[in-house]
Structure formats: C-alpha cells, structure tokens
Amino acid sequence: MAKDFLGSETTRRQLLTLAAVGGAGLFSVGAAGSASAAGRGDGSNGKPFRVTVLGTTDLHGNVYNWDYFKDAAYSDSRGNHVGLAKAATLIDLVRAERGAESCITLDAGDTIQGTPLAYYYAKIDPITGGSKHPMAEAMNLVGYDAAALGNHEYNYGLDTLRTFESQLNFPLLSANSVDWDTGQPVFRPYVIKTVKVPGSKPVRVGILGLVTPGVAIWDKAIVEGHVRFPGIVEQAAMFVPRLKAAGADIVVVSVHSGADTSSSYGDALPYPENAASLMAEQVPDIDAVLVGHAHVEIPQRFVTNAQTGRQVLLSEPLYWGMRVTVMDLDLVKVRGQWQLASSAATTLNSNTVDEDPQIAALLHASHETVRGYVNSVVGQCLTPMSAATSRYEDTPAMDFINHVQADAVKAALVGTPQESLPVLSIAAPFNKNAAIPAGDVTVRDVAGLYIYDNTLLGIVLTGAQVKDYLEYSSRYFKQVSGTGPFTPDELTNAVTDTAPNGTPDYNYDIMGGLDAALTYDIDLAKLPGERILDLSYDGAPIDPNGQFVIAINNYRQSGGGNFPHVTAAPVVYNRQIEIRQMLIDWVSAEGVIDPAVFSAVDWTLVSNGSPITITAP
C-alpha cells in the first residue's frame, strides 16, 4: 500500500501516541517500548531485535466507517469508528514507524458476516457465482500474513468459505477445524513466517490459528458429517510442539476465542467456548496470543504458564476495526538461538485517523451497490406498524418481531425432543422511532425495528419461570394509583436498585405466543413480584410446571438485564443467526406483512384490575 499520506516520522509518532488507547505507551518518545529505544539491534550483546505483531479481529464485514441500516456514517455513544479502511491506516502508520519488514499482520476471525456488505456477497451476488468478496480485496490490499477462522466464517456454508479462502493472498488457519472422519485439519493449522534481521540469522515466527468449538453447535446443519471442532487447549498442545520442531523461534497464536474461560452453551460440548487464557496457562512455548470472539478490548494482559512460569502476552482489539492491536516482541540470541526477552502490547483507536484512500477507492463501487440494496424494496406491508407506543401497549411492531423469532425456533426444533413444546418469544422496544410504512417496505425499514446485533437462541423455561420473568420485566414501570390518564413518562423507565437513572427501554421485555396466545395484565398499583395477573396460555391459566421454549436474544440469555432463570436454562437452539437479518429474510421470503395474521392485544397495563388510560406525549 502507498504510504504518501503517512507523513514524517515525527507526525507518525504523534498520531500513534494519540491513537494509543491506554495512553502514549509503546509510542511515547524515548519510552522503552518505542522504536528509538529497541528493535534496531541484531539480538547480540544485549541489543534486542523487535518483531511487531499487528492484529485485528471480528471485522464482521466492516470496510468503511458506515452504518448501512442508517445509511449514514457510523456513530456510537463512545465515539468509536469502524471499518478495515481506518484500521489499515493505523497498520501502515505502525509499519512505517517500526519498519514494515519486521511487522507481521494477523486477524483473529469473524470476517465475512455481520453487515449488509457481507450479506450481499454471500447471498445476493454470491462470491460462489464469480464475484469478488470486498473483505478479501481489502485484506489483500492491507497485506495480512495470516488469519484465523472465526465461527461466523461457517455461517454461509462450506462452499462460500472455500471460495473466500481462494480469493485471499494469505492463509486461513484453523488447527481445530478437522475432518469428520480422519481428524486431520481441513484448513492449514499454522504457517511459519521468516523475518529478516540485518547482520544476523532471520527470526522464524510460528503462527497458529484456532477457532471456538461452538461452531459444532451454532452451525451444526452445515458442519455435521464434515468438520469436527476439538478443544482449543488440546489442539494447541498438539501443534505448538510441531511448530517448534519445524524451526519456529517464537509462537504467536491467533485464536477466535475469548480470554475469560466460559461457555454460552454450558456443558453441551466438552470444550470451553472461550479458552484463550486457559490455553496460554496450560500450553508451554506460546509467546503471544491475538484474541477474538468476545468483542471486548484487552490492550495488554499477561497470563503465567503453569509449566514454565513464563509470562504469555494477550491482546484483543475490540471488534469491527474499532481498534488495532500492536504487540512488540523483543528478541535476543541465547547460544545462537532467538528467544523472547520481553513483550508489551497496546491497542490503537481507529477514530483518530482517516480511511486508507486506496481501500476507500477500491471498494467504492461495491459500497454503493450495497447502499442501493439496503434502500431497496423487499416487500409490502398492508397497514403501517409503528413502535412509538410499544413501551406501554401491545403493538403489531413488537408482535412481528416475536412472531418471526418464535417461528424460526419452532422450525429448528423439528426432530428434537422439544418439538412438541409450545414456543413463546420475547422482544424489547429498542427503537421508538422505528416504523414500517404501509406499502413498499425497504431493508432499512425492517432493520430499524431491531437496531442491535443480537442473535437468536431458544431456551426452556417452566410456566412458573415465565411468570417470574414477566414480573422482573414489569420493574420497568413505575407504581401508580388510579387509572390516569397518565403520560408515558409517568409510567415508564422506573428507577430501581439496578437502574438508578431509570430502567432503559431495552430492558423491558414483551412476551408473546406463536401457535396460541400468551395473555396477561400488568397491574401498576402493585409492586413488582405481584403485578402479573391472569397469566394464561391458549385461554387457560398457565401451568407452573409446564415447559415452554422461549425465543430469546443472546444479550438477554447471557445475563444482560439480569433477568431471572435465563442464564441457567437449557439451550435448545443457538445457530447464531442475527435477528435483524432474520426479520429482513422473512419479509423477503413472504413478500407481504399482514399484521392481522400475527398481531393481537395480549397484554394490558391496569391499576387494581382496571385499564389504565395513557395520553400521547
């Protein structure tokens, strides 16, 4: 990539100091971690040679700093910017600062799913039909050395994944994606990169790729019979010694698995979903780990290996290109062999730089094509659906979300032990400005109903637990006497012990049934715990011991909002399909949204059993 826009060395240093999330850190003038203090030696006489590992992860189809659903530049409450085009600028700045020949650039997976741009080239103009994937074109231009597979790489099927792989100029790595029958890796497990050292022998850097084993659950329909996913720790213990035997001086692992050991799928698999720290602790001879999957920021963390006592460096650069990890590995020669002497890491903030002009130009046509797609008509709606009043009354807009979610879970349960259980669904009024008009409906119209990137799960609750759940949700409302009239603000966003500034709209859940109605009243004259009255399913009082499958989003299921029972409930569906895309796909497939098919008034706000009157604001 051209570097004309990178400026002088002083300007680069200033930009990198500004971009470093944890402060000046590795780029402050004269600091031990700066290029002026280390990295220029040949490894002898105590003068270290520096290898710099640059990392991204969970790009999820983000090339530009653009929100396709809003058809506007991306923005969030923390001022983040997104996209590989911005990350590329940071990568080139570091290469210019450290020396490109001593830099290695890696990604930790989840690349080809997550935006309309990614969806378009998987489903609308699929790369299997001959088109080029924008992420492949952008990553090739950046000049990645390797990337680990993420679980979402499998979402669109093996043919799409293999086509994406064929379009890359660098290897996709996954030591624990193995053949169903032979147990041998079906992707390259590792690669060894040679870094030249002036006046000395080169450094051989072993790069191992691993993915969370959860793919076996989330994409079972795609991988069953083809690919198995043994544990991260187990496969690292197998392949790190092979890397060392093949001549790797140091080992860097790019792993699509969170740092904090945990699993969203409980004990459904014998291997943890998030195992990056566990791997660093249990597998010797790993020097650094680029972490992905968890969508969190870890500028620098050290884990002590239990066998060797050595410190292993971990770093995770948030997601969507918001950050770039920089890991400096300083090496010295001991008896003629390169060894790690010290290491440090930080993350750089993409909101401090402009987009790389070459990437921006290269993919402009693809970007504009996808903008046209999201503004395209996908169906018709017979009557308008607004979410404006969804916080305090049953609306077709929320019923639509619950209908689509429940329908998807019910279809997935066919052939399972839960096939005969009734299916309920929960949805929250995320966006009171959302509305689907009567007449033509665009992709953006549908997406406005669901502004978060949640995925869908199915869990099992009893009737008693359903009531507990609804009682907890009713904390959203303030206690009042009388039937009003009240304004919405006089009833909603109650202050609680867990929400001292008022309960947000996204922590109020509306529950509905699919094949039969779930009906209830919420009595605001009473305290939470006593508010849910006349809870019935299919016209009869709900059976406290009966079982129900609940369609629920991953945020809520994982504990977001601290709703009762959900985190410990059995998970019977989890294909990691984004709910927003599911809604769009449903409209595209059905062609017509008819609220009369799925909408009814199933819950009501009351005071001592009498309906409350609410006036429009």
Side-chain angles (χ1 to χ4, degrees):
M1 294 170 61
K3 300 175 184 176
D4 298 340
F5 63 96
L6 296 180
S8 66
E9 180 178 351
T10 300
T11 301
R12 290 195 305 270
R13 182 72 58 76
Q14 291 171 339
L15 285 170
L16 290 168
T17 300
L18 178 65
V21 173
L26 305 185
F27 299 100
S28 58
V29 177
S34 70
S36 62
R40 305 305 188 196
D42 62 4
S44 59
N45 300 319
K47 297 179 180 179
F49 176 78
R50 171 168 295 162
V51 172
T52 297
V53 177
L54 301 165
T56 55
T57 191
D58 295 275
L59 292 169
H60 284 286
N62 286 280
V63 173
Y64 294 94
N65 185 51
W66 193 257
D67 185 332
Y68 288 96
F69 295 114
K70 294 180 180 177
D71 200 29
Y74 176 87
S75 63
D76 65 22
S77 60
R78 298 184 178 183
N80 289 308
H81 290 184
V82 302
L84 183 54
K86 287 206 165 223
T89 299
L90 292 171
I91 288 169
D92 261 353
L93 283 167
V94 178
R95 286 171 175 166
E97 171 72 10
R98 294 289 193 257
E101 67 284 350
S102 63
C103 290
I104 290 173
T105 305
L106 305 177
D107 184 80
D110 275 6
T111 303
I112 62 171
Q113 176 277 340
T115 61
L117 184 74
Y119 179 81
Y120 189 88
Y121 288 97
K123 294 292 189 180
I124 309 301
D125 183 15
I127 59 174
T128 52
S131 61
K132 296 290 186 181
H133 202 294
M135 294 304 295
E137 293 187 281
M139 294 177 84
N140 286 339
L141 189 56
V142 171
Y144 280 82
D145 293 288
L149 284 178
N151 56 286
H152 282 291
E153 261 64 81
Y154 286 92
N155 287 171
Y156 295 125
L158 296 175
D159 288 345
T160 297
L161 177 51
R162 287 300 189 189
T163 303
F164 175 68
E165 180 188 31
S166 73
Q167 295 182 354
L168 298 173
N169 296 338
F170 55 89
L172 286 179
L173 306 179
S174 188
N176 67 326
S177 297
V178 304
D179 183 84
W180 190 269
D181 298 316
T182 68
Q184 294 300 308
V186 295
F187 291 88
R188 290 181 66 174
Y190 61 78
V191 66
I192 296 178
K193 302 293 293 186
T194 299
V195 178
K196 294 180 180 180
V197 181
S200 186
K201 62 185 275 187
V203 176
R204 288 168 58 82
V205 181
I207 303 163
L208 179 67
L210 294 157
V211 66
T212 177
V215 183
I217 293 175
W218 304 323
D219 277 314
K220 181 179 180 181
I222 291 170
V223 301
E224 190 170 39
H226 303 285
V227 187
R228 295 185 188 273
F229 299 89
I232 286 170
V233 174
E234 291 78 3
Q235 291 298 98
M238 179 187 300
F239 281 98
V240 171
R242 294 186 189 183
L243 270 169
K244 299 296 286 187
D249 296 302
I250 59 173
V251 173
V252 178
V253 180
S254 182
V255 58
H256 192 77
S257 179
D260 299 321
T261 306
S262 60
S263 292
S264 66
Y265 45 74
D267 59 0
L269 294 173
Y271 314 111
E273 173 183 354
N274 298 302
S277 293
L278 193 66
M279 174 189 67
E281 178 186 348
Q282 295 187 3
V283 180
D285 293 327
I286 295 173
D287 296 286
V289 181
L290 176 65
V291 180
H293 184 60
H295 287 212
V296 299
E297 184 171 13
I298 304 174
Q300 175 179 276
R301 180 185 297 182
F302 287 98
V303 173
T304 303
N305 185 267
Q307 295 187 38
T308 66
R310 294 178 58 228
Q311 295 288 293
V312 182
L313 175 64
L314 278 69
S315 183
E316 181 174 3
L318 206 52
Y319 58 94
W320 296 358
M322 292 178 182
R323 305 287 187 271
V324 171
T325 276
V326 181
M327 294 191 282
D328 282 338
L329 310 178
D330 288 342
L331 312 177
V332 296
K333 280 191 289 188
V334 177
R335 293 185 292 277
Q337 301 299 315
W338 289 109
Q339 290 186 11
L340 182 68
S342 63
S343 59
T346 192
T347 50
L348 305 178
N349 196 330
S350 291
N351 71 3
T352 60
V353 295
D354 294 330
E355 292 179 336
D356 177 89
Q358 286 185 277
I359 290 178
L362 175 68
L363 297 174
H364 178 73
S366 298
H367 172 63
E368 290 301 318
T369 296
V370 175
R371 285 187 65 201
Y373 159 68
V374 298
N375 286 289
S376 64
V377 174
V378 290
Q380 305 284 315
C381 190
L382 299 186
T383 58
M385 298 193 305
S386 171
T389 62
S390 295
R391 296 175 297 151
Y392 51 85
E393 67 179 9
D394 200 347
T395 63
M398 293 299 102
D399 290 344
F400 172 61
I401 296 171
N402 274 333
H403 177 77
V404 174
Q405 291 181 161
D407 191 51
V409 170
K410 180 182 177 181
L413 294 178
V414 173
T416 73
Q418 293 79 30
E419 179 178 4
S420 63
L421 292 182
V423 179
L424 309 176
S425 177
I426 65 100
F430 292 142
N431 182 11
K432 56 191 171 188
N433 296 317
I436 292 181
D440 289 346
V441 176
T442 67
V443 169
R444 287 206 298 125
D445 291 330
V446 181
L449 287 177
Y450 211 99
I451 59 175
Y452 295 113
D453 300 291
N454 296 333
T455 58
L456 185 65
L457 294 91
I459 61 173
V460 177
L461 296 181
T462 66
Q465 291 172 328
V466 166
K467 184 177 186 298
D468 288 346
Y469 190 100
L470 291 171
E471 288 285 4
Y472 186 89
S473 184
S474 76
R475 287 163 39 110
Y476 171 76
F477 295 106
K478 299 168 184 174
Q479 188 177 20
V480 296
S481 60
T483 58
F486 298 103
T487 66
D489 289 345
E490 289 175 321
L491 299 177
T492 62
N493 307 105
V495 171
T496 71
D497 56 336
T498 56
N501 296 316
T503 305
D505 295 347
Y506 61 76
N507 274 342
Y508 170 55
D509 279 352
I510 297 152
M511 189 176 292
L514 179 65
D515 295 323
L518 180 80
T519 58
Y520 54 96
D521 290 339
I522 306 173
D523 196 326
L524 301 191
K526 303 180 185 301
L527 292 171
E530 303 173 344
R531 287 180 165 178
I532 303 302
L533 306 179
D534 301 325
L535 179 60
S536 299
Y537 179 75
D538 197 15
I542 199 166
D543 179 0
N545 298 313
Q547 288 193 318
F548 297 83
V549 175
I550 314 297
I552 189 171
N553 66 64
N554 64 302
Y555 172 81
R556 190 69 79 232
Q557 185 272 338
S558 64
N562 199 33
F563 278 63
H565 307 303
V566 294
T567 58
V571 175
V572 294
Y573 169 87
N574 185 4
R575 292 184 181 173
Q576 296 221 326
I577 297 174
E578 290 185 3
I579 295 168
R580 180 167 55 196
Q581 191 62 54
M582 185 178 289
L583 297 172
I584 295 167
D585 291 347
W586 188 94
V587 177
S588 297
E590 295 293 324
V592 175
I593 305 173
D594 182 1
V597 172
F598 52 76
S599 181
V601 177
D602 293 331
W603 62 273
T604 306
L605 296 181
V606 301
S607 177
N608 288 318
S610 298
I612 287 176
T613 301
I614 302 169
T615 58

